[in-house]
Amino acid sequence: MVFLVVTVSQNALSLRIKLKCSLQETGKMSHKRVRKGNPIICLIILICYAASLYGGYSAVAICEMIFAIVFFVIFMMELDKQIQVVSWVWSDLFRAGIGALIYLITSLICVIGGAGDGARIAGVWGLIAGLLFAYDTYTIYLQIKSSRQHTAASTDDRV
């Protein structure tokens, strides 16, 4: 297990944030743990875009942050099991895939043609976010693939 602990203390108050990345039996990071980092990195990118000349790209960070928070709350409160009208896993796959694609495109634009430190820093963080969203997409794909194998139709002739 990998722990990152940040402690901020002020007068007897202390805020402790633990980001825990646990490894499953297969050696891959847990999908729910990756999903927690998406809104945080979107907020970092939003701050960097707001400080740069590329302020228009902050809409990308705002939208992705809102979508990441909404899906995080839905899966955290297990609303996906109560509201079965929507295929939440497929919706989350499309959200993560589109987020990865948009972050990679806008980040490459900012890194290559960035006109200031804020744009280049946002571009680097955007590339990291694009990779995080791509990994999120990959883990969701594996989750869909494994659920389809477990729900395969029976080929028993004795029915």
Side-chain angles (χ1 to χ4, degrees), residues 117-146:
D117 291 338
R120 294 216 170 125
I121 293 171
V124 171
W125 278 103
L127 288 173
I128 294 170
L131 293 175
L132 181 69
F133 276 90
Y135 182 76
D136 199 12
T137 305
Y138 175 70
T139 56
I140 296 168
Y141 170 73
L142 291 179
Q143 181 181 358
I144 291 172
K145 188 177 174 182
S146 69

PDB file of all heavy atoms in Angstrom, residues 117-146:
ATOM      1  N   ASP A 117       4.013  30.840 -18.459  1.00  0.00           N
ATOM      2  CA  ASP A 117       4.255  29.732 -17.535  1.00  0.00           C
ATOM      3  C   ASP A 117       2.968  29.045 -17.108  1.00  0.00           C
ATOM      4  O   ASP A 117       2.936  27.836 -16.937  1.00  0.00           O
ATOM      5  CB  ASP A 117       4.999  30.236 -16.306  1.00  0.00           C
ATOM      6  CG  ASP A 117       6.428  30.645 -16.638  1.00  0.00           C
ATOM      7  OD1 ASP A 117       6.946  30.153 -17.660  1.00  0.00           O
ATOM      8  OD2 ASP A 117       7.006  31.437 -15.883  1.00  0.00           O
ATOM      9  N   GLY A 118       1.904  29.821 -16.921  1.00  0.00           N
ATOM     10  CA  GLY A 118       0.635  29.233 -16.484  1.00  0.00           C
ATOM     11  C   GLY A 118       0.086  28.245 -17.489  1.00  0.00           C
ATOM     12  O   GLY A 118      -0.423  27.186 -17.131  1.00  0.00           O
ATOM     13  N   ALA A 119       0.198  28.584 -18.783  1.00  0.00           N
ATOM     14  CA  ALA A 119      -0.309  27.692 -19.821  1.00  0.00           C
ATOM     15  C   ALA A 119       0.528  26.428 -19.902  1.00  0.00           C
ATOM     16  O   ALA A 119      -0.005  25.328 -20.084  1.00  0.00           O
ATOM     17  CB  ALA A 119      -0.311  28.408 -21.168  1.00  0.00           C
ATOM     18  N   ARG A 120       1.826  26.558 -19.774  1.00  0.00           N
ATOM     19  CA  ARG A 120       2.678  25.367 -19.855  1.00  0.00           C
ATOM     20  C   ARG A 120       2.489  24.467 -18.638  1.00  0.00           C
ATOM     21  O   ARG A 120       2.485  23.243 -18.756  1.00  0.00           O
ATOM     22  CB  ARG A 120       4.131  25.788 -19.990  1.00  0.00           C
ATOM     23  CG  ARG A 120       4.337  26.488 -21.302  1.00  0.00           C
ATOM     24  CD  ARG A 120       5.651  26.202 -21.915  1.00  0.00           C
ATOM     25  NE  ARG A 120       5.602  26.738 -23.272  1.00  0.00           N
ATOM     26  CZ  ARG A 120       6.465  27.588 -23.746  1.00  0.00           C
ATOM     27  NH1 ARG A 120       7.457  27.988 -23.005  1.00  0.00           N
ATOM     28  NH2 ARG A 120       6.347  28.021 -24.980  1.00  0.00           N
ATOM     29  N   ILE A 121       2.349  25.076 -17.469  1.00  0.00           N
ATOM     30  CA  ILE A 121       2.110  24.273 -16.263  1.00  0.00           C
ATOM     31  C   ILE A 121       0.754  23.570 -16.369  1.00  0.00           C
ATOM     32  O   ILE A 121       0.632  22.387 -16.042  1.00  0.00           O
ATOM     33  CB  ILE A 121       2.192  25.151 -14.998  1.00  0.00           C
ATOM     34  CG1 ILE A 121       3.620  25.639 -14.802  1.00  0.00           C
ATOM     35  CG2 ILE A 121       1.716  24.391 -13.773  1.00  0.00           C
ATOM     36  CD1 ILE A 121       3.771  26.676 -13.719  1.00  0.00           C
ATOM     37  N   ALA A 122      -0.259  24.293 -16.842  1.00  0.00           N
ATOM     38  CA  ALA A 122      -1.575  23.676 -17.040  1.00  0.00           C
ATOM     39  C   ALA A 122      -1.494  22.568 -18.075  1.00  0.00           C
ATOM     40  O   ALA A 122      -2.167  21.542 -17.948  1.00  0.00           O
ATOM     41  CB  ALA A 122      -2.589  24.732 -17.472  1.00  0.00           C
ATOM     42  N   GLY A 123      -0.667  22.759 -19.110  1.00  0.00           N
ATOM     43  CA  GLY A 123      -0.502  21.728 -20.121  1.00  0.00           C
ATOM     44  C   GLY A 123       0.132  20.470 -19.572  1.00  0.00           C
ATOM     45  O   GLY A 123      -0.285  19.356 -19.894  1.00  0.00           O
ATOM     46  N   VAL A 124       1.133  20.639 -18.719  1.00  0.00           N
ATOM     47  CA  VAL A 124       1.782  19.469 -18.114  1.00  0.00           C
ATOM     48  C   VAL A 124       0.810  18.744 -17.191  1.00  0.00           C
ATOM     49  O   VAL A 124       0.692  17.513 -17.228  1.00  0.00           O
ATOM     50  CB  VAL A 124       3.063  19.890 -17.360  1.00  0.00           C
ATOM     51  CG1 VAL A 124       3.619  18.747 -16.542  1.00  0.00           C
ATOM     52  CG2 VAL A 124       4.104  20.394 -18.347  1.00  0.00           C
ATOM     53  N   TRP A 125       0.095  19.498 -16.352  1.00  0.00           N
ATOM     54  CA  TRP A 125      -0.899  18.871 -15.479  1.00  0.00           C
ATOM     55  C   TRP A 125      -2.022  18.246 -16.299  1.00  0.00           C
ATOM     56  O   TRP A 125      -2.583  17.215 -15.923  1.00  0.00           O
ATOM     57  CB  TRP A 125      -1.471  19.881 -14.489  1.00  0.00           C
ATOM     58  CG  TRP A 125      -0.599  20.091 -13.303  1.00  0.00           C
ATOM     59  CD1 TRP A 125       0.224  21.149 -13.059  1.00  0.00           C
ATOM     60  CD2 TRP A 125      -0.432  19.195 -12.198  1.00  0.00           C
ATOM     61  NE1 TRP A 125       0.881  20.961 -11.873  1.00  0.00           N
ATOM     62  CE2 TRP A 125       0.501  19.779 -11.318  1.00  0.00           C
ATOM     63  CE3 TRP A 125      -0.977  17.961 -11.869  1.00  0.00           C
ATOM     64  CZ2 TRP A 125       0.885  19.166 -10.137  1.00  0.00           C
ATOM     65  CZ3 TRP A 125      -0.590  17.358 -10.688  1.00  0.00           C
ATOM     66  CH2 TRP A 125       0.335  17.965  -9.843  1.00  0.00           C
ATOM     67  N   GLY A 126      -2.367  18.880 -17.420  1.00  0.00           N
ATOM     68  CA  GLY A 126      -3.386  18.314 -18.299  1.00  0.00           C
ATOM     69  C   GLY A 126      -2.950  17.004 -18.917  1.00  0.00           C
ATOM     70  O   GLY A 126      -3.761  16.090 -19.100  1.00  0.00           O
ATOM     71  N   LEU A 127      -1.663  16.894 -19.268  1.00  0.00           N
ATOM     72  CA  LEU A 127      -1.157  15.624 -19.782  1.00  0.00           C
ATOM     73  C   LEU A 127      -1.221  14.538 -18.709  1.00  0.00           C
ATOM     74  O   LEU A 127      -1.577  13.390 -18.991  1.00  0.00           O
ATOM     75  CB  LEU A 127       0.277  15.794 -20.285  1.00  0.00           C
ATOM     76  CG  LEU A 127       0.433  16.581 -21.588  1.00  0.00           C
ATOM     77  CD1 LEU A 127       1.906  16.827 -21.874  1.00  0.00           C
ATOM     78  CD2 LEU A 127      -0.241  15.867 -22.733  1.00  0.00           C
ATOM     79  N   ILE A 128      -0.893  14.913 -17.487  1.00  0.00           N
ATOM     80  CA  ILE A 128      -1.000  13.955 -16.373  1.00  0.00           C
ATOM     81  C   ILE A 128      -2.460  13.551 -16.181  1.00  0.00           C
ATOM     82  O   ILE A 128      -2.773  12.372 -15.985  1.00  0.00           O
ATOM     83  CB  ILE A 128      -0.397  14.553 -15.087  1.00  0.00           C
ATOM     84  CG1 ILE A 128       1.110  14.742 -15.251  1.00  0.00           C
ATOM     85  CG2 ILE A 128      -0.709  13.670 -13.878  1.00  0.00           C
ATOM     86  CD1 ILE A 128       1.758  15.542 -14.148  1.00  0.00           C
ATOM     87  N   ALA A 129      -3.369  14.534 -16.255  1.00  0.00           N
ATOM     88  CA  ALA A 129      -4.795  14.231 -16.112  1.00  0.00           C
ATOM     89  C   ALA A 129      -5.284  13.363 -17.263  1.00  0.00           C
ATOM     90  O   ALA A 129      -6.102  12.461 -17.066  1.00  0.00           O
ATOM     91  CB  ALA A 129      -5.610  15.517 -16.048  1.00  0.00           C
ATOM     92  N   GLY A 130      -4.796  13.644 -18.467  1.00  0.00           N
ATOM     93  CA  GLY A 130      -5.176  12.815 -19.608  1.00  0.00           C
ATOM     94  C   GLY A 130      -4.756  11.373 -19.420  1.00  0.00           C
ATOM     95  O   GLY A 130      -5.508  10.443 -19.739  1.00  0.00           O
ATOM     96  N   LEU A 131      -3.553  11.165 -18.882  1.00  0.00           N
ATOM     97  CA  LEU A 131      -3.097   9.806 -18.605  1.00  0.00           C
ATOM     98  C   LEU A 131      -3.908   9.163 -17.484  1.00  0.00           C
ATOM     99  O   LEU A 131      -4.218   7.968 -17.530  1.00  0.00           O
ATOM    100  CB  LEU A 131      -1.609   9.815 -18.259  1.00  0.00           C
ATOM    101  CG  LEU A 131      -0.677  10.205 -19.405  1.00  0.00           C
ATOM    102  CD1 LEU A 131       0.760  10.297 -18.906  1.00  0.00           C
ATOM    103  CD2 LEU A 131      -0.799   9.229 -20.544  1.00  0.00           C
ATOM    104  N   LEU A 132      -4.273   9.960 -16.465  1.00  0.00           N
ATOM    105  CA  LEU A 132      -5.099   9.441 -15.376  1.00  0.00           C
ATOM    106  C   LEU A 132      -6.482   9.045 -15.882  1.00  0.00           C
ATOM    107  O   LEU A 132      -7.001   7.979 -15.539  1.00  0.00           O
ATOM    108  CB  LEU A 132      -5.223  10.481 -14.258  1.00  0.00           C
ATOM    109  CG  LEU A 132      -6.040  10.089 -13.042  1.00  0.00           C
ATOM    110  CD1 LEU A 132      -5.309   9.002 -12.254  1.00  0.00           C
ATOM    111  CD2 LEU A 132      -6.286  11.285 -12.158  1.00  0.00           C
ATOM    112  N   PHE A 133      -7.079   9.892 -16.719  1.00  0.00           N
ATOM    113  CA  PHE A 133      -8.386   9.570 -17.290  1.00  0.00           C
ATOM    114  C   PHE A 133      -8.284   8.380 -18.242  1.00  0.00           C
ATOM    115  O   PHE A 133      -9.205   7.564 -18.315  1.00  0.00           O
ATOM    116  CB  PHE A 133      -8.970  10.782 -18.018  1.00  0.00           C
ATOM    117  CG  PHE A 133      -9.693  11.735 -17.117  1.00  0.00           C
ATOM    118  CD1 PHE A 133      -9.032  12.787 -16.515  1.00  0.00           C
ATOM    119  CD2 PHE A 133     -11.044  11.594 -16.871  1.00  0.00           C
ATOM    120  CE1 PHE A 133      -9.686  13.668 -15.690  1.00  0.00           C
ATOM    121  CE2 PHE A 133     -11.718  12.476 -16.044  1.00  0.00           C
ATOM    122  CZ  PHE A 133     -11.040  13.511 -15.447  1.00  0.00           C
ATOM    123  N   ALA A 134      -7.168   8.255 -18.970  1.00  0.00           N
ATOM    124  CA  ALA A 134      -6.978   7.101 -19.857  1.00  0.00           C
ATOM    125  C   ALA A 134      -6.859   5.819 -19.040  1.00  0.00           C
ATOM    126  O   ALA A 134      -7.417   4.775 -19.418  1.00  0.00           O
ATOM    127  CB  ALA A 134      -5.745   7.301 -20.732  1.00  0.00           C
ATOM    128  N   TYR A 135      -6.146   5.875 -17.925  1.00  0.00           N
ATOM    129  CA  TYR A 135      -6.055   4.704 -17.045  1.00  0.00           C
ATOM    130  C   TYR A 135      -7.424   4.382 -16.447  1.00  0.00           C
ATOM    131  O   TYR A 135      -7.785   3.216 -16.312  1.00  0.00           O
ATOM    132  CB  TYR A 135      -5.031   4.940 -15.935  1.00  0.00           C
ATOM    133  CG  TYR A 135      -4.879   3.754 -15.032  1.00  0.00           C
ATOM    134  CD1 TYR A 135      -4.156   2.633 -15.446  1.00  0.00           C
ATOM    135  CD2 TYR A 135      -5.474   3.725 -13.776  1.00  0.00           C
ATOM    136  CE1 TYR A 135      -4.033   1.526 -14.632  1.00  0.00           C
ATOM    137  CE2 TYR A 135      -5.353   2.625 -12.959  1.00  0.00           C
ATOM    138  CZ  TYR A 135      -4.630   1.530 -13.384  1.00  0.00           C
ATOM    139  OH  TYR A 135      -4.517   0.434 -12.578  1.00  0.00           O
ATOM    140  N   ASP A 136      -8.175   5.408 -16.108  1.00  0.00           N
ATOM    141  CA  ASP A 136      -9.525   5.226 -15.602  1.00  0.00           C
ATOM    142  C   ASP A 136     -10.379   4.523 -16.662  1.00  0.00           C
ATOM    143  O   ASP A 136     -11.140   3.605 -16.357  1.00  0.00           O
ATOM    144  CB  ASP A 136     -10.120   6.585 -15.224  1.00  0.00           C
ATOM    145  CG  ASP A 136     -11.297   6.483 -14.296  1.00  0.00           C
ATOM    146  OD1 ASP A 136     -11.543   5.406 -13.738  1.00  0.00           O
ATOM    147  OD2 ASP A 136     -11.983   7.517 -14.108  1.00  0.00           O
ATOM    148  N   THR A 137     -10.254   4.948 -17.918  1.00  0.00           N
ATOM    149  CA  THR A 137     -10.981   4.317 -19.012  1.00  0.00           C
ATOM    150  C   THR A 137     -10.591   2.852 -19.152  1.00  0.00           C
ATOM    151  O   THR A 137     -11.445   1.985 -19.341  1.00  0.00           O
ATOM    152  CB  THR A 137     -10.703   5.056 -20.337  1.00  0.00           C
ATOM    153  OG1 THR A 137     -11.023   6.441 -20.175  1.00  0.00           O
ATOM    154  CG2 THR A 137     -11.513   4.491 -21.469  1.00  0.00           C
ATOM    155  N   TYR A 138      -9.305   2.577 -19.042  1.00  0.00           N
ATOM    156  CA  TYR A 138      -8.815   1.209 -19.163  1.00  0.00           C
ATOM    157  C   TYR A 138      -9.364   0.323 -18.037  1.00  0.00           C
ATOM    158  O   TYR A 138      -9.791  -0.808 -18.288  1.00  0.00           O
ATOM    159  CB  TYR A 138      -7.287   1.203 -19.154  1.00  0.00           C
ATOM    160  CG  TYR A 138      -6.671  -0.162 -19.161  1.00  0.00           C
ATOM    161  CD1 TYR A 138      -6.738  -0.969 -20.290  1.00  0.00           C
ATOM    162  CD2 TYR A 138      -6.031  -0.660 -18.030  1.00  0.00           C
ATOM    163  CE1 TYR A 138      -6.181  -2.233 -20.293  1.00  0.00           C
ATOM    164  CE2 TYR A 138      -5.460  -1.924 -18.036  1.00  0.00           C
ATOM    165  CZ  TYR A 138      -5.536  -2.701 -19.173  1.00  0.00           C
ATOM    166  OH  TYR A 138      -4.991  -3.952 -19.169  1.00  0.00           O
ATOM    167  N   THR A 139      -9.377   0.816 -16.815  1.00  0.00           N
ATOM    168  CA  THR A 139      -9.892   0.004 -15.705  1.00  0.00           C
ATOM    169  C   THR A 139     -11.397  -0.210 -15.825  1.00  0.00           C
ATOM    170  O   THR A 139     -11.892  -1.278 -15.456  1.00  0.00           O
ATOM    171  CB  THR A 139      -9.554   0.637 -14.348  1.00  0.00           C
ATOM    172  OG1 THR A 139     -10.065   1.964 -14.298  1.00  0.00           O
ATOM    173  CG2 THR A 139      -8.060   0.633 -14.111  1.00  0.00           C
ATOM    174  N   ILE A 140     -12.123   0.794 -16.335  1.00  0.00           N
ATOM    175  CA  ILE A 140     -13.566   0.609 -16.543  1.00  0.00           C
ATOM    176  C   ILE A 140     -13.802  -0.434 -17.634  1.00  0.00           C
ATOM    177  O   ILE A 140     -14.692  -1.271 -17.529  1.00  0.00           O
ATOM    178  CB  ILE A 140     -14.242   1.942 -16.893  1.00  0.00           C
ATOM    179  CG1 ILE A 140     -14.127   2.925 -15.728  1.00  0.00           C
ATOM    180  CG2 ILE A 140     -15.706   1.734 -17.238  1.00  0.00           C
ATOM    181  CD1 ILE A 140     -14.515   4.334 -16.083  1.00  0.00           C
ATOM    182  N   TYR A 141     -12.976  -0.372 -18.685  1.00  0.00           N
ATOM    183  CA  TYR A 141     -13.078  -1.364 -19.758  1.00  0.00           C
ATOM    184  C   TYR A 141     -12.843  -2.769 -19.213  1.00  0.00           C
ATOM    185  O   TYR A 141     -13.557  -3.712 -19.565  1.00  0.00           O
ATOM    186  CB  TYR A 141     -12.082  -1.038 -20.871  1.00  0.00           C
ATOM    187  CG  TYR A 141     -11.951  -2.125 -21.904  1.00  0.00           C
ATOM    188  CD1 TYR A 141     -12.965  -2.341 -22.837  1.00  0.00           C
ATOM    189  CD2 TYR A 141     -10.844  -2.964 -21.925  1.00  0.00           C
ATOM    190  CE1 TYR A 141     -12.867  -3.355 -23.776  1.00  0.00           C
ATOM    191  CE2 TYR A 141     -10.739  -3.976 -22.849  1.00  0.00           C
ATOM    192  CZ  TYR A 141     -11.748  -4.162 -23.779  1.00  0.00           C
ATOM    193  OH  TYR A 141     -11.639  -5.173 -24.704  1.00  0.00           O
ATOM    194  N   LEU A 142     -11.835  -2.935 -18.358  1.00  0.00           N
ATOM    195  CA  LEU A 142     -11.582  -4.240 -17.760  1.00  0.00           C
ATOM    196  C   LEU A 142     -12.751  -4.685 -16.883  1.00  0.00           C
ATOM    197  O   LEU A 142     -13.086  -5.875 -16.836  1.00  0.00           O
ATOM    198  CB  LEU A 142     -10.298  -4.210 -16.940  1.00  0.00           C
ATOM    199  CG  LEU A 142      -8.993  -4.077 -17.726  1.00  0.00           C
ATOM    200  CD1 LEU A 142      -7.813  -4.027 -16.771  1.00  0.00           C
ATOM    201  CD2 LEU A 142      -8.844  -5.207 -18.719  1.00  0.00           C
ATOM    202  N   GLN A 143     -13.378  -3.730 -16.207  1.00  0.00           N
ATOM    203  CA  GLN A 143     -14.522  -4.045 -15.367  1.00  0.00           C
ATOM    204  C   GLN A 143     -15.694  -4.522 -16.228  1.00  0.00           C
ATOM    205  O   GLN A 143     -16.365  -5.500 -15.886  1.00  0.00           O
ATOM    206  CB  GLN A 143     -14.927  -2.810 -14.562  1.00  0.00           C
ATOM    207  CG  GLN A 143     -16.082  -3.003 -13.639  1.00  0.00           C
ATOM    208  CD  GLN A 143     -16.432  -1.708 -12.908  1.00  0.00           C
ATOM    209  OE1 GLN A 143     -15.787  -0.685 -13.072  1.00  0.00           O
ATOM    210  NE2 GLN A 143     -17.466  -1.765 -12.118  1.00  0.00           N
ATOM    211  N   ILE A 144     -15.926  -3.855 -17.354  1.00  0.00           N
ATOM    212  CA  ILE A 144     -17.001  -4.269 -18.264  1.00  0.00           C
ATOM    213  C   ILE A 144     -16.696  -5.633 -18.862  1.00  0.00           C
ATOM    214  O   ILE A 144     -17.569  -6.497 -18.957  1.00  0.00           O
ATOM    215  CB  ILE A 144     -17.202  -3.208 -19.374  1.00  0.00           C
ATOM    216  CG1 ILE A 144     -17.785  -1.932 -18.783  1.00  0.00           C
ATOM    217  CG2 ILE A 144     -18.098  -3.738 -20.476  1.00  0.00           C
ATOM    218  CD1 ILE A 144     -17.828  -0.776 -19.745  1.00  0.00           C
ATOM    219  N   LYS A 145     -15.456  -5.833 -19.238  1.00  0.00           N
ATOM    220  CA  LYS A 145     -15.042  -7.098 -19.839  1.00  0.00           C
ATOM    221  C   LYS A 145     -15.205  -8.258 -18.860  1.00  0.00           C
ATOM    222  O   LYS A 145     -15.692  -9.325 -19.227  1.00  0.00           O
ATOM    223  CB  LYS A 145     -13.591  -6.988 -20.294  1.00  0.00           C
ATOM    224  CG  LYS A 145     -13.099  -8.153 -21.086  1.00  0.00           C
ATOM    225  CD  LYS A 145     -11.679  -7.907 -21.554  1.00  0.00           C
ATOM    226  CE  LYS A 145     -11.109  -9.116 -22.233  1.00  0.00           C
ATOM    227  NZ  LYS A 145      -9.722  -8.907 -22.639  1.00  0.00           N
ATOM    228  N   SER A 146     -14.826  -8.048 -17.603  1.00  0.00           N
ATOM    229  CA  SER A 146     -14.954  -9.126 -16.618  1.00  0.00           C
ATOM    230  C   SER A 146     -16.415  -9.383 -16.259  1.00  0.00           C
ATOM    231  O   SER A 146     -16.793 -10.515 -15.996  1.00  0.00           O
ATOM    232  CB  SER A 146     -14.154  -8.802 -15.363  1.00  0.00           C
ATOM    233  OG  SER A 146     -14.741  -7.738 -14.660  1.00  0.00           O
TER     234      SER A 146
END
